Amino acid sequence: MPAQFDLPAQFDLWNESTTSPELSVDEVLATLEQWHEWGWLRALDLHFARFLQELGEGRAEVLMLAALTSHQAGRGHICLVLSELVARPFETLKLPPEPMGQQGAPALLKTLAGYGLDCLERALASASVVDAVHPESGSAPLVFEHGLLYLRRFWASERRIAHHINVRMRSDTPGAPSSEALAHLFGASPSDETDWQQVACALALRQRFAVISGGPGTGKTTTVAKLLVLLQQQSLAQGGEALSIQMAAPTGKAAARLTESMAGALTKLPVSEAVRAHLPREAMTLHRLLGARPDTRRFRFNETHVLETDVLLVDEASMVDLELMAALMDALKPRARLILLGDRDQLASVEAGAILGDICASAWPPAFSESMCRYLEHTTGADLTVTTHEGGIADHVVVLQKSYRFSDHSGIGHLARAINQGDIAQARAVVSKGFSDIALTQIEAGERTHVYLAVEGYRAYLEAIEANASPAEVLAAFQKYRMLCALRQGDWGVETLNERIAEALQARGWIDQSSGWYVGRPVLITRNDRQLGLYNGDIGIALPDPAAEGRLRVFVDQGERIRSVLPARLTHADTAFAMTVHKSQGSEFETVTVVMPPSDSAIMTRELLYTALTRARSMCTLCIADTEVFFNALTRRVQRSSGLSQRLGELTDQR
């Protein structure tokens, strides 16, 4: 790695020349190549700039902006906000200052900003590789609209999502439920307390698009189970055919949990057999629902071949990325109901976009139009003291507020609230109060306390293997504990900790070897495999198969069934003693150990801490070398650039 990169004189950070800065194409491409060598940019970002040059783009500033737009897409952003780039380039791009120090990046970005926002906007507006006037009728690889620079496919996906939401917001209002029907399922609520579950159900019954958000234990599944019962009751009572209702989730594990939790919720409800017979029994992954095709972004179901579904429920919607959400909405009939379920405070999708967060942005604190307030109060009997507005997307969103899992005596519940509010003082108070379900453990350099916690945590499933328990029993025991990490690499990351935990288990005699395939090795499936019927996020464990003379097979938990696969066929599977917080979304465990890096990192945010903490049902141990890293993370939020909230706001203005 070179220690210094010589830049042309006009890139000097302290150059106070009053003349307009000028960049040459060769200089910019050379700098982008250097940034790629240092790991700042992906090869894809560099190749995109070169591709645009080959298409005939000769302005260096346009090529630079194109590479940075691609860079932002790789970080989960839907677009590059030009005004933020000019005003705060380092904060916007999150480019690290090392190893160049004051050499290349600050100078180059200042030079780029020196063009001025107006100049850059004019360059983009006249560039042949950018559509800026009527982008819907163009085909350029970049789109510049409302001060935002997009890759075309991201712009198209965002626009389609806004269009589909608008269609459902403007469609005829379905029949509203009776107060008696709601009361029959929900019962009476305390007069001084709003039953937000009932409010959410009433709101969703009136709309073709609805979002129900809430943290763990707030009753999202219970609410939507009652919602589906009422929808089917309405349809059958009105003499119509039974509705076609389907349930889906982003990952196999999330779909399995939805299947299980919905089955449990529905069995507790007073429902006639005629209605019960037409309620959904199994959730599937979104990719399976849409008919994913190998080696392509396309799906079997799309805008020209739509799903014959009247009601679609999507759980863990915070995990759904921009393009998958657009594909999903494309595949629905215009009059089909779409109900999104999820936690707006969780981490956003791994891929680009934060769709649930964008949709919920105007829904907290709760705010409804006057007409929606009157309807909800009349239907539920609630006294809604909320902000009123002119209507729009907020009339389609309810955030559940009461946790039935975390009581007033739960440290997890108190800390989760402090994290979401960014309240460092309250977080310190919770950690120091001595709650029985949460602990913050400080680990000195070289210590392996967290590894020993994992060894004890996994004892139950290893004992189940020794006792010749069934694969289902072993998998259930494994799901009681998990170690979660903020990072993938390094001493505090998933890769290193998986090795150390395996070595410690081998030293204790729990496993025979610590690498390769061995009895008891847990694995996380990292890519959908239609041929094997496996999905990203599935968990499996290598066990001897009695039906095959004890030969090793991997038994994968898919909720409604256990699938077995030969180890040699699993080309996309990682050891899963430790997993990233991102990969844990859609799962819950009795006990969780969270391992955090010893120094501040941009990856440490409120959303990451909240997601990690709330994977635990009964106990969470936070392991860290410097406790201030944990508290400093409360000052950071995941901010993903997007134009979706603006587009949805425009829909409000048009109503």
Side-chain angles (χ1 to χ4, degrees), residues 61-84:
E61 63 270 26
V62 173
L63 298 181
M64 185 69 174
L65 292 171
L68 296 180
T69 301
S70 179
H71 164 77
Q72 292 295 78
R75 295 179 52 237
H77 296 280
I78 296 175
C79 56
L80 174 67
V81 183
L82 209 61
S83 60
E84 292 182 359

Side-chain angles (χ1 to χ4, degrees), residues 54 91 95 98 104 123 132 140 264 295 371 573:
E54 292 172 1
E91 293 86 342
L95 292 177
E98 298 297 338
D295 304 320
S371 62

Side-chain angles (χ1 to χ4, degrees), residues 127 147 204 325 435 541:
M325 185 66 78
F435 285 99
I541 296 179

